[in-house]
Amino acid sequence: MPQQDATEAQVSRSRRYLLPEAVGLLRAVRPRPRDVSALGALLRGGATLADVGLWAVRRAAGRPVLIDDDGVLTGADLNVAVHRLMAAIGDSPGRAVACLGDHRGLVATIIAAGALGIDLTLLSPRAGEQARRRVLSGDVGLVLHDGPARPDITQRQIDVRAVLQRPAGPVPAARRTRIPALVLHSSGSSGAPHPRTERRVGWAQLPTVVSLAAALGARRGEPMLVAAPLSHGHGLSALAAGLLVGAPVLLGASRHADHGLASIAAHRVGTWVGLPTQLADLMTQAGGAHLPLRRIVVGSAPLSAMVVEQVRSTVGEVLVNYYGTTESGTVTIARPADLAADPATVGRPATGVTIRIQDPAGWVLPRGETGAVLVRSPWRAAGERPWIRTGDLGRLDAAGRLTLAGREDGTVIVGGHRVTLAAVADWLERQMAVDRAEVTAVPHPRLGEVVHARIAGDVDLHELHTRARTELGDAAAPREIRAW
C-alpha cells in the first residue's frame, strides 16, 4: 500500500493521540487506592464486559452503579443480584440467550454468565419471530427473560425479575476455562444475521478503546443516561464505558413518554447516549428548551444535519457521532469541531483504525471522490482479511473526515437497524397468495429510511402487514403495503 499523501483517500489516526486521550480518561476515572485491587481482578479476568461489571461492583460498594425504573442500585446491590442469578443459572449446558428489557436484570445476567464462563447471546424483546427462532436454534440450553415461562420455548427458562426478588442460594464457583463470548444480534433486520461476538479487550484494541471512552466524556460519579438498547452494540459499549469510569448508568428512560427528559434534570445527567431517532424525539420533547448536558453521543444510524444544528443551537457544542460496523467495531468519531465544520460527516478514524476509499477495480481513490469504504481495524476477527469492506459508500475530505453516501449492498438503516431489502421481498413472496413483491426504501424524517412494499396477488394486505411485523420485527416490516 503506498504512503498517504495529500490527495489519496486513506487516513488513520496516529497513536500519538493515545497519551493525551489516556490522561483525559484518567482524570475522568479519578483512581483511588482501593481501585488497585479491583484493577488486578479486571486484568486477570481478561477485560470482558462481565469483568468490567465486577470491577464496578468492587469499586462502588455503597455508591450508585445503575439507576432504572426500580430505583438506584449500588455496587453492593448489584453484587447481590449477580449472585442470585449465578445461583439460578447453575451448571447450565450449552449457550444461554437473554431476551430482556434494559434494566438491572440484564446487566446482572451479563455479569453472572461471564463469571460462570457461559456464552451469552443478547436478543432484543422487540425482535421478530424469524430472528427469535434463528437465535434459539442449535446448542442453546437456557433462555432468560422477563415474566413466566413461554410454552413455545423448549429450553430451560429463567424469569430474571422473579429471581432478583428471591433469597440467594448457594453460588456456584467461577469455572471459566476460556473467555466466554457475548454475542449481539441486530433486532430488527431481515435476511442473514450479523452477529457480533465480544470476548475480551486485548492490547491491540486498547488504543481504540481509550479513544472511544475519551470521546464519550463520562465522568466518575456523574450520571450517564443510556437510551440506546443494551442489545445494540452502541448501547452496550456505553454501558461498559460507564461501568469502567464509575459513572452511574440510567437505563430504560427512553421508554417513558418524555423520552427521558425528566430523568436528565432529576438525576443531573451529564452525558446522554442514544440512537439518532431517540435524539430527535428528545429534542422534540424539549421543545427548544436548553438541556443541561455536557455531552450527547449518538451512533449506529445516519444523523440528520437538521438535528445537528438543533443540538448546537439549543444545547451547545456537545454532540459526538460514532460510525461503525458489526465486523469492524467503531470506525470513526465525529467530535463537536468536526460537526461544526460539516454537519453531515461521521468524523475521523478512531485511534488505531485506518480508512480508505476504493473504486470497483480496487484502486484507492483521491479525496473528494466517492467509493467503497474499507477499514483496517484491531477489532477484526482472527482469520479475516486485514481490510474489511463495510458495504457503505463514502468520501474523505481534505481534513480526513468521512462522509457516507449510501450503501452498495442493497441494505438500508431503519432507526439504527440494518435491513436487507431483498430478504424482505423474499419473505413477502413466500407468503400464501402473494404472486410478486417489490420492496423499496423511502426517506423518513425520524428513522432515516423505512421500508415500503407493493404486492401482486389476492391477499389481505392488513393481515399480511400484521404477520410481517410479527415475523420480521418492527424495523424490517414494511411501514406501508399496497396493491400493485
Side-chain angles (χ1 to χ4, degrees):
M1 183 60 56
Q3 295 295 312
Q4 176 186 333
D5 60 34
T7 61
E8 186 178 276
Q10 174 174 317
V11 295
S12 60
R13 183 173 172 85
S14 170
R15 292 179 183 249
R16 65 186 174 86
Y17 291 101
L18 180 59
L19 181 58
E21 288 174 338
V23 170
L25 188 57
L26 284 173
R27 287 174 180 164
V29 174
R30 301 201 305 272
R32 298 170 185 172
R34 68 179 300 170
D35 296 341
V36 176
S37 59
L39 179 60
L42 174 64
L43 296 177
R44 286 194 301 272
T48 65
L49 179 54
D51 297 314
V52 171
L54 293 173
W55 148 275
V57 164
R58 293 186 177 98
R59 293 175 75 214
R63 296 191 301 276
V65 174
L66 298 173
I67 305 169
D68 62 10
D69 289 344
D70 293 324
V72 176
L73 198 73
T74 66
D77 295 332
L78 180 57
N79 193 42
V80 170
V82 169
H83 283 180
R84 285 176 175 162
L85 279 163
M86 289 177 68
I89 293 171
D91 294 322
S92 178
R95 294 183 295 114
V97 172
C99 186
L100 297 162
D102 292 342
H103 55 73
R104 63 189 63 190
L106 177 54
V107 179
T109 296
I110 292 170
I111 299 173
L116 292 171
I118 296 173
D119 292 347
L120 180 68
T121 297
L122 302 185
L123 178 66
S124 168
R126 300 183 63 186
E129 288 299 323
Q130 264 195 353
R132 190 184 303 273
R133 288 193 296 268
R134 186 186 304 122
V135 171
L136 293 180
S137 64
D139 61 341
V140 174
L142 175 66
V143 178
L144 301 103
H145 53 73
D146 296 321
R150 289 184 46 168
D152 59 322
I153 295 177
T154 59
Q155 294 89 345
R156 180 183 166 221
Q157 301 178 53
I158 291 178
D159 180 348
V160 170
R161 287 192 181 275
V163 167
L164 296 186
Q165 300 301 318
R166 70 173 68 146
V171 179
R175 52 179 172 82
R176 286 194 349 195
T177 58
R178 63 184 181 88
I179 303 298
L182 183 62
V183 182
L184 307 181
H185 273 259
S186 119
S187 61
S189 61
S190 179
H194 291 275
R196 173 177 170 182
T197 302
E198 307 281 1
R199 289 195 184 271
R200 62 181 297 176
V201 175
W203 292 108
Q205 291 94 16
L206 190 59
T208 306
V209 171
V210 171
S211 183
L212 297 175
L216 185 66
R219 292 178 180 174
R220 183 171 188 163
E222 180 185 73
M224 176 175 70
L225 192 155
V226 178
L230 298 188
S231 56
H232 200 286
H234 186 45
L236 200 66
S237 298
L239 170 68
L243 294 175
L244 182 65
V245 170
V249 178
L250 275 76
L251 299 174
S254 61
R255 294 193 300 269
H256 298 172
D258 68 349
H259 302 285
L261 186 63
S263 298
I264 293 173
H267 296 284
R268 298 184 178 180
V269 170
T271 301
W272 183 96
V273 183
L275 305 177
T277 55
Q278 294 173 318
L279 177 57
D281 289 341
L282 180 67
M283 298 305 296
T284 299
Q285 188 68 32
H290 175 74
L291 297 177
L293 294 168
R294 286 192 309 100
R295 187 65 51 90
I296 294 175
V297 183
V298 296
S300 301
L303 176 65
S304 75
M306 182 182 70
V307 173
V308 172
E309 293 301 332
Q310 191 176 9
V311 171
R312 292 183 64 209
S313 63
T314 60
V315 188
E317 302 293 345
V318 302
L319 185 58
V320 172
N321 186 21
Y322 290 161
Y323 158 68
T325 71
T326 299
E327 297 80 9
S328 58
T330 301
V331 174
T332 63
I333 305 171
R335 295 169 174 82
D338 297 316
L339 292 170
D342 181 5
T345 186
V346 293
R348 309 168 200 249
T351 303
V353 175
T354 303
I355 300 172
R356 75 182 186 195
I357 306 299
Q358 186 173 287
D359 70 7
W363 292 97
V364 179
L365 291 171
R367 297 194 185 193
E369 291 196 19
T370 298
V373 179
L374 276 74
V375 175
R376 187 169 61 196
S377 166
W379 294 100
R380 68 183 177 89
E384 286 187 354
R385 294 180 179 180
W387 288 94
I388 300 169
R389 197 178 190 97
T390 66
D392 289 311
L393 299 172
R395 61 184 178 276
L396 292 165
D397 67 12
R401 290 183 290 257
L402 175 66
T403 300
L404 300 179
R407 296 281 301 177
E408 60 173 348
D409 58 2
T411 65
V412 295
I413 304 297
V414 180
H417 302 290
R418 192 178 303 278
V419 174
T420 306
L421 297 180
V424 176
D426 178 69
W427 182 88
L428 288 168
E429 290 182 342
R430 285 188 283 107
Q431 305 310 300
M432 186 175 296
V434 174
D435 298 326
R436 185 171 46 160
E438 179 187 70
V439 176
T440 56
V442 178
H444 190 276
R446 178 175 168 271
L447 299 174
E449 290 182 291
V450 294
V451 177
H452 282 196
R454 287 199 305 166
I455 300 295
D458 185 15
V459 61
D460 184 328
L461 297 181
H462 177 74
E463 190 275 335
L464 179 62
H465 183 260
T466 301
R467 194 161 70 248
R469 291 193 63 180
T470 301
E471 284 288 312
L472 302 178
D474 290 341
R479 284 298 177 101
E480 178 182 294
I481 301 179
R482 54 192 176 89
W484 201 287

